[in-house]
Amino acid sequence: MSRNPERNDRKSGKKGPVKPVFNPRSGDASAGARPGGWNPNPPAKAFSTAAPRAGRGKVDADGFLWGRHPVLAALANPARKGMGRLLATAERAAEIEREGTANGHRIEVMDAPTLERLLPAGAVHQGLAFKVQPLDGVALEDLAEPAEGIIVMLDQLTDPQNVGAIFRSALAFGARGIVVQDRHSPVLAGALAKAAAGATERLPCARVTNLSRALERLADLGWRAVGLDGASDERLETALDHRPTVLVMGSEGDGIRRLVAEHCDVLARIPMPGGFESLNVSNAAAIALYEATRKQRPLD
């Protein structure tokens, strides 16, 4: 994550009184939560994380997921029932039939070279691919209510490997979900879904038009935003506490944009005594998620 002195500008404190909430899909994000607390191991839910909208670009390889973990996770998602084209080598098809994981999808059996020709060059498909259409994500309020736990916000991250790795870490540490800007984030399929190892099917994602306004809304709902900035004087472990936390991660090159940083309650850095200037953003996200989880509840 790059150093940028401009990102030291920030606002402190809450963004005004809590306002009445209009939530047309009340309860979706908290399904499976423990009474009085947040659920560190959320169950698979009937949603996906990529709502089709104009201007979002072409889905990887015409909407394909590939690899064992992403495909099996998609097959287990109730929202995928009765849709999609499931392709498998004979060995994988036999495994799916034996374990009963097709969930009503008809398997098209083909040899590995034929399957490879349908996917991008170098795709590690492990004998499985699933052609799907994007499904609706969740509303911001669905992630935010009740105000408990951790939400991860990604400010214009574009590398599919990094975004996929962050989804995987966020699910592992029990985050409530991911918030991205609709126009500047990759489609949750293909290489991203492969890097996420199925997490994109299990972790809610809200696509918003404006991240700054989303942070204002989250503040109204009782959330505190902590942005990661390598140039900050504040250390991450002192910036975090037990309160509901939005971890804001900046882009691979420029970090958090100025206006988004100004809507964070605090900017903080990960101390690096080894002297190296920065970490890969997905590695930084994993460290931040660990620290934030440790502050909020004991780790098993």
Side-chain angles (χ1 to χ4, degrees):
M1 304 191 57
S2 63
R3 298 174 180 267
N4 185 348
E6 282 190 329
R7 298 199 305 279
N8 282 327
D9 295 336
R10 58 186 181 269
K11 292 182 179 180
S12 299
K14 299 288 183 183
K15 309 298 188 297
V18 175
K19 300 176 182 177
V21 177
F22 171 71
N23 185 359
R25 288 180 285 183
S26 178
D28 290 352
S30 58
R34 296 175 180 171
W38 56 294
N39 186 356
N41 295 297
K45 299 184 178 74
F47 61 79
S48 181
T49 46
R53 299 178 191 175
R56 285 191 48 216
K58 194 173 188 288
V59 177
D60 296 54
D62 295 323
F64 273 108
L65 305 173
W66 60 80
R68 189 172 184 276
H69 288 299
V71 171
L72 292 180
L75 292 173
N77 186 347
R80 299 286 190 191
K81 189 174 179 61
M83 63 183 299
R85 181 185 176 196
L86 178 58
L87 313 177
T89 60
E91 181 181 2
R92 287 300 187 195
E95 176 187 322
I96 288 174
E97 290 175 348
R98 182 173 63 252
E99 297 179 0
T101 52
N103 291 328
H105 294 86
R106 184 176 67 86
I107 307 172
E108 297 181 39
V109 181
M110 59 185 61
D111 58 31
T114 302
L115 182 57
E116 287 168 5
R117 284 195 290 271
L118 297 173
L119 302 174
V124 183
H125 56 74
Q126 299 173 300
L128 277 175
F130 192 27
K131 186 175 183 180
V132 296
Q133 291 295 321
L135 300 179
D136 288 341
V138 299
L140 184 65
E141 286 81 2
D142 290 342
L143 293 185
E145 296 178 289
E148 297 168 342
I150 301 164
I151 290 173
V152 179
M153 177 177 284
L154 306 181
D155 183 12
Q156 296 195 336
L157 268 69
T158 57
D159 184 278
Q161 298 289 340
N162 282 336
V163 176
I166 291 171
F167 263 87
R168 188 172 184 175
S169 294
L171 182 63
F173 284 104
R176 293 281 293 274
I178 305 279
V179 178
V180 298
Q181 188 175 18
D182 188 55
R183 292 178 297 124
H184 299 286
S185 58
V187 175
L188 306 185
L192 188 157
K194 184 70 168 64
T200 54
E201 296 289 331
R202 297 183 57 195
L203 192 68
C205 180
R207 290 184 176 270
V208 300
T209 302
N210 186 290
L211 294 182
S212 297
R213 286 200 292 269
L215 285 173
E216 291 177 355
R217 180 63 176 139
L218 289 168
D220 290 342
L221 295 173
W223 291 81
R224 178 173 180 263
V226 177
L228 264 69
D229 182 354
S232 175
D233 294 330
E234 184 90 15
R235 294 164 64 98
L236 181 63
E237 66 266 30
T238 60
L240 294 167
D241 58 29
H242 66 281
R243 287 175 286 179
T245 299
V246 183
L247 290 174
V248 185
M249 312 295 302
S251 70
E252 296 89 347
D254 298 327
I256 303 172
R257 289 173 296 162
R258 181 186 59 81
L259 191 57
V260 175
E262 289 177 353
H263 282 78
C264 291
D265 296 284
V266 63
L267 299 179
R269 62 181 173 86
I270 297 172
M272 286 175 278
F276 199 65
E277 183 175 344
S278 65
L279 290 171
N280 175 279
V281 65
S282 64
N283 294 333
I287 293 169
L289 282 159
Y290 171 81
E291 286 287 351
T293 304
R294 191 171 62 88
K295 291 283 187 176
Q296 294 195 5
R297 62 186 306 274
L299 292 172
D300 296 330

